[in-house]
Amino acid sequence: MTIARTHTREAFIGVGTVSVLLLLTMLLRCRTHELLAVFSANKPGLWGKPGWYFLLIAVGSMLMIALLLSAMLIGLRAGSKGAYSRHALILIGFLFTGGLFYSSVTPPWQAPDEHAHYEYAALFGELRRVPTLNDIRQDIQAEVTASMFDFDFWRLIKREPVESPPVGFYRAGDLTEYPSTHVIDNRYIYYPQVGDEPPTYYVFPAFIYSLSALGSTTYRLYLMRLASVAFWLGIGGAVWWASRVLFPDQQQLALATLTVVTCNPMLSHISTVLSNDGLTTLWCTLALGILVLMLRRGIFWHRASALLVLTLLAIMTKKSALWLVPTLVLAFLLLPEIPRRWRLRLGLTMVGTAVVTLVLFVWPTGSSRYWEGGTRAFEIGAQDNYILLLNAGERVSQPIGHQRTSEVRGKSVTLLARVRSEGASQIDVCLVTRAGDQQCRTASVNNQWRSFETQFSIPEQAEQLNLTLTASGTAPLKIDELSLAPEAGPELLRNASMDSGISRLERSLLALGRPMGIENLIASLFASMTSGPTGLAQTLPLASQVLFDSFWGNFGAAMVVPLEAPWPLLIRIAVVLAAVGWGLNTVRRVSQWERWQKRAFAVLCSGVIFVLAQTFAALFAHTGGWMPQGRFVFPAAWPIAALLVLGWWGWVSEHTERWFLLCVTLGALALYVAGTWRLVSYFYG
């Protein structure tokens, strides 16, 4: 009787599936002809064929239905090894088809920094080496901006349209106020990836760029995106493998984790365009999977070597993978094969490091924040009333950022200072532009305080300035009451009074961060420590946006296409339920998990904490129009998904466990469809 009922159910499901697929095919043919034409309009090659989009939509829809039916069958049969493997295969197929669809349907350049990633890859392909900022070519930039103009880029990022394509790109730097067109000097404002990001990812799109020399810029972009789709497929495989390692006896949880990753609309969007986020996520997932495998089965040299290589690859792909390092260090304390004396030594080393860090943090230097060179004498020289001491031949300088420079273009600025020296000396004051143009003034200094005043004319095309003061003569030069400002406007110098000094810790970190391009971030973090609760109150709402909104769905180059209500609220509710479910898991299922799994959960939790801390730390130091985004957390997509699934599992009773995968699949697919429709309706509606 039971077997007969089972066959009846399967036959009913099979007939229903065929009927739904036939109906779906008819609807697609009847209703989407116009939409398919819009998808393919003006696009090159395969991406300009309506049939390509029809194929992806049809296959994706069939796989979506197959996922639901497979989850239902798993619930009806209480699952089997073959059913789980079949479901995983369908899910990977859906991930791949969805990746192709997202890669194809996202308009050219409508992903964060995609134009800058293209520039990096193009230069890499042309030069056959890692490019630097000195290699920037305006002809490549002009080709990109022309393509951006052709595909209505300015309207889609909600900016005032331009009448003609800009001639290139303008480095944003610390700009805080943007023109309505996002264009300065007929150049589009951007954040270059050249000189800022490691080169590993760009090897693949650079190779594709070299092979497509006869194609247009837009065609090359779509070809390069295919490399990202391949990495997206790799992410799916890595997540499935790592989840099976973590949940060897709970295949439903492994499949649910893969479902959450696959159906994250923002992750699907970012991982399938020209961006290094996807490859970074792949490396990090594999590294964490091997780490969990080591917790489960022990340390062997080949696993340790693979873990080291993957960690280095992740960091050499994107700087945002640095959180892996403290995660691995912490995991080292939890590995059962590590002798206790080694753990004790590592623990003592960490405590000692913390003590040394604290000492360096409170140990002052003679340097001033934002200034390079000279000796800060604000405290020790108070009796002589000076703030800066320059020895003979010494120079002090400060760069003046893009925003402050743009505010004084074409104007005159006045430098004021009081100077004094114990002997015959001279001060040379120069204002230098990034282009190399400089204006210098010289004044003699003696043992009497004298006021020094001079004016500089700022060129109309100046992007960034650098003020330098050089002492020459036989005795040290003392400077006080320094300022640089236009006739009517704010002070151009930061920390002009030099009352803000830096500690030895800050100076050491600045030296380490300079080769990695994070020097300004470190300086801003230390400077923001004085902001106290006010800075925290301003930052917490941004942190919420990163974690809940930007991580799950905020599409487009300018990220101006968020998920529509009620999805932001539903996502918050789902995360809160997972957090509460963790408590329920602790009470009800603590004996279900083996010791190595509990250690793995702890390591994954620490990894999520580290990646969030790394991302949120930048919130306290962000400048200009840039702000941290949810995609910076994507390298931890697998542990986040696994921990969410584990939290939801805490709400499930033993009698309803077999329907858990179906519930997760329904919710995840609903989010995926809503996010996909939001992207499509905005760009093509």
Side-chain angles (χ1 to χ4, degrees):
M1 180 69 71
T2 303
I3 296 176
R5 288 180 178 176
T6 300
H7 287 315
T8 301
R9 289 173 181 171
E10 292 182 359
F12 177 77
I13 291 174
V15 173
T17 302
V18 174
S19 301
V20 170
L21 293 179
L22 290 174
L23 179 62
L24 178 65
T25 302
M26 293 175 61
L27 289 174
L28 284 174
R29 282 195 168 275
C30 296
R31 299 292 184 183
T32 61
H33 179 75
E34 182 178 347
L35 183 60
L36 296 177
V38 174
F39 283 163
S40 58
N42 301 323
K43 291 181 181 177
L46 178 66
W47 299 274
K49 307 295 183 182
W52 170 244
Y53 298 93
F54 176 82
L55 175 65
L56 294 177
I57 293 174
V59 173
S61 301
M62 294 177 185
L63 289 172
M64 189 182 302
I65 295 172
L67 279 177
L68 291 172
L69 295 175
S70 176
M72 289 175 60
L73 288 174
I74 288 175
L76 290 171
R77 294 178 171 180
S80 65
K81 186 175 181 180
Y84 291 137
S85 299
R86 181 170 58 251
H87 189 90
L89 187 62
I90 297 172
L91 197 51
I92 294 294
F94 178 72
L95 174 145
F96 180 59
T97 305
L100 287 173
F101 179 76
Y102 266 89
S103 176
S104 302
V105 82
T106 301
W109 321 111
Q110 283 303 323
D113 301 320
E114 192 167 34
H115 47 281
H117 290 299
Y118 180 93
E119 178 185 46
Y120 197 132
L123 289 171
F124 204 155
E126 293 275 1
L127 301 172
R128 307 300 173 94
R129 61 171 174 81
V130 178
T132 67
L133 289 173
N134 294 328
D135 297 317
I136 296 295
R137 284 173 38 184
Q138 188 166 325
D139 60 328
I140 293 177
Q141 293 184 349
E143 291 173 357
V144 173
T145 54
S147 177
M148 293 163 66
F149 183 81
D150 291 340
F151 285 90
D152 212 4
F153 179 84
W154 277 260
R155 180 183 64 82
L156 294 177
I157 65 170
K158 298 184 178 181
R159 296 286 182 174
E160 181 180 329
V162 293
E163 296 181 356
S164 60
V167 297
F169 296 142
Y170 180 96
R171 292 177 61 189
D174 60 350
L175 283 175
T176 56
E177 298 179 7
Y178 288 60
S180 58
T181 58
H182 212 80
V183 172
I184 294 179
D185 298 338
N186 199 24
R187 290 182 291 165
Y188 178 77
I189 302 171
Y190 85 132
Y191 292 91
Q193 302 301 300
V194 174
D196 184 64
E197 287 291 356
T200 304
Y201 165 76
Y202 299 97
V203 172
F204 306 98
F207 178 71
I208 294 174
Y209 178 90
S210 300
L211 295 179
S212 56
L214 300 179
S216 65
T217 300
T218 307
Y219 180 70
R220 284 175 153 183
L221 172 67
Y222 275 106
L223 284 178
M224 290 181 190
R225 285 182 176 180
L226 292 179
S228 296
V229 174
F231 300 143
W232 175 233
L233 181 62
I235 291 172
V239 168
W240 173 232
W241 167 77
S243 300
R244 292 177 64 190
V245 172
L246 182 62
F247 303 114
D249 301 321
Q250 293 287 354
Q251 295 293 290
Q252 275 205 87
L253 300 186
L255 287 173
T257 301
L258 177 57
T259 301
V260 172
V261 171
T262 299
C263 295
N264 182 331
M266 192 64 179
L267 182 59
S268 302
H269 171 54
I270 295 297
S271 298
T272 55
V273 295
L274 190 59
S275 171
N276 53 1
D277 292 288
L279 184 57
T280 308
T281 303
L282 174 59
W283 299 139
C284 290
T285 302
L286 290 172
L288 291 174
I290 289 179
L291 184 58
V292 172
L293 188 62
M294 293 169 67
L295 289 168
R296 176 182 168 185
R297 295 183 176 174
I299 303 176
F300 293 94
W301 68 268
H302 60 280
R303 291 176 188 160
S305 300
L307 181 60
L308 177 61
V309 170
L310 288 168
T311 302
L312 292 175
L313 283 172
I315 295 173
M316 288 301 296
T317 301
K318 193 176 179 72
K319 295 179 297 185
S320 59
L322 287 171
W323 60 275
L324 267 181
V325 176
T327 303
L328 297 181
V329 172
L330 182 62
F332 186 81
L333 296 174
L334 300 176
L335 289 170
E337 291 83 4
I338 301 298
R340 186 173 181 179
R341 64 179 183 277
W342 287 18
R343 300 184 194 180
L344 181 60
R345 290 171 183 172
L346 180 59
L348 291 175
T349 301
M350 295 173 67
V351 172
T353 302
V355 172
V356 172
T357 300
L358 180 61
V359 171
L360 292 176
F361 181 70
V362 298
W363 190 353
T365 66
S367 302
S368 298
R369 182 168 288 115
Y370 304 121
W371 291 90
E372 184 71 29
T375 302
R376 176 175 174 263
F378 185 82
E379 296 173 357
I380 63 174
Q383 58 188 10
D384 198 17
N385 193 30
Y386 66 93
I387 60 173
L388 181 66
L389 184 68
L390 285 179
N391 293 315
E394 192 174 11
R395 184 176 69 175
V396 65
S397 64
Q398 180 182 142
I400 301 171
H402 294 77
Q403 181 61 44
R404 288 168 293 154
T405 300
S406 67
E407 294 171 353
V408 294
R409 281 180 160 191
K411 299 180 182 179
S412 294
V413 297
T414 301
L415 181 135
L416 297 173
R418 296 180 68 245
V419 292
R420 176 179 178 272
S421 178
E422 298 298 338
S425 299
Q426 180 176 291
I427 182 172
D428 297 312
V429 181
C430 293
L431 197 62
V432 186
T433 67
R434 171 179 287 177
D437 301 326
Q438 65 177 8
Q439 305 172 53
C440 294
R441 308 286 187 268
T442 302
S444 299
V445 184
N446 53 35
N447 60 359
Q448 298 294 322
W449 282 106
R450 59 161 292 188
S451 296
F452 175 69
E453 178 178 347
T454 188
Q455 287 190 333
F456 299 97
S457 297
I458 309 301
E460 289 282 356
Q461 302 299 320
E463 295 184 15
Q464 191 174 17
L465 303 172
N466 193 61
L467 176 68
T468 64
L469 294 87
T470 307
S472 59
T474 59
L477 183 68
K478 300 174 181 178
I479 303 175
D480 189 37
E481 298 180 9
L482 180 65
S483 71
L484 180 68
E487 182 177 353
E491 172 66 57
L492 296 180
L493 299 175
R494 292 187 291 180
N495 192 25
S497 63
M498 300 194 184
D499 54 352
S500 179
I502 66 173
S503 65
R504 293 189 179 274
L505 175 64
E506 182 177 350
R507 186 165 68 180
S508 301
L509 292 177
L510 287 172
L512 292 173
R514 192 170 292 117
M516 294 185 290
I518 58 175
E519 178 184 6
N520 291 333
L521 172 63
I522 294 172
S524 299
L525 281 174
F526 276 92
S528 67
M529 289 181 181
T530 60
S531 61
T534 302
L536 186 63
Q538 296 173 346
T539 303
L540 284 179
L542 296 177
S544 175
Q545 293 176 15
V546 169
L547 183 59
F548 294 108
D549 301 328
S550 180
F551 181 81
W552 297 98
N554 195 8
F555 310 105
M559 303 183 73
V560 294
V561 193
L563 292 172
E564 294 182 322
W567 286 105
L569 176 61
L570 293 177
I571 289 170
R572 285 164 169 78
I573 292 174
V575 173
V576 171
L577 288 175
V580 176
W582 260 83
L584 296 175
N585 251 324
T586 303
V587 174
R588 296 164 49 187
R589 301 177 184 268
V590 65
S591 60
Q592 176 181 341
W593 310 111
E594 297 184 27
R595 179 175 296 181
W596 70 266
Q597 284 180 305
K598 297 174 184 177
R599 290 173 174 170
F601 297 154
V603 170
L604 295 184
C605 282
S606 68
V608 173
I609 291 173
F610 285 133
V611 74
L612 291 177
Q614 174 184 278
T615 302
F616 293 162
L619 284 168
F620 291 92
H622 79 280
T623 57
W626 175 90
M627 67 167 287
Q629 303 158 18
R631 62 193 177 97
F632 298 160
V633 189
F634 283 164
W638 174 61
I640 289 174
L643 295 175
L644 286 174
V645 167
L646 200 59
W648 297 329
W649 182 250
W651 290 91
V652 180
S653 67
E654 293 183 2
H655 301 292
T656 57
E657 283 182 357
R658 60 181 182 170
W659 299 107
F660 177 74
L661 179 59
L662 179 60
C663 293
V664 173
T665 301
L666 285 171
L669 286 177
L671 173 63
Y672 186 84
V673 170
T676 304
W677 179 251
R678 175 63 173 142
L679 181 146
V680 168
S681 62
Y682 177 80
F683 288 124
Y684 298 97

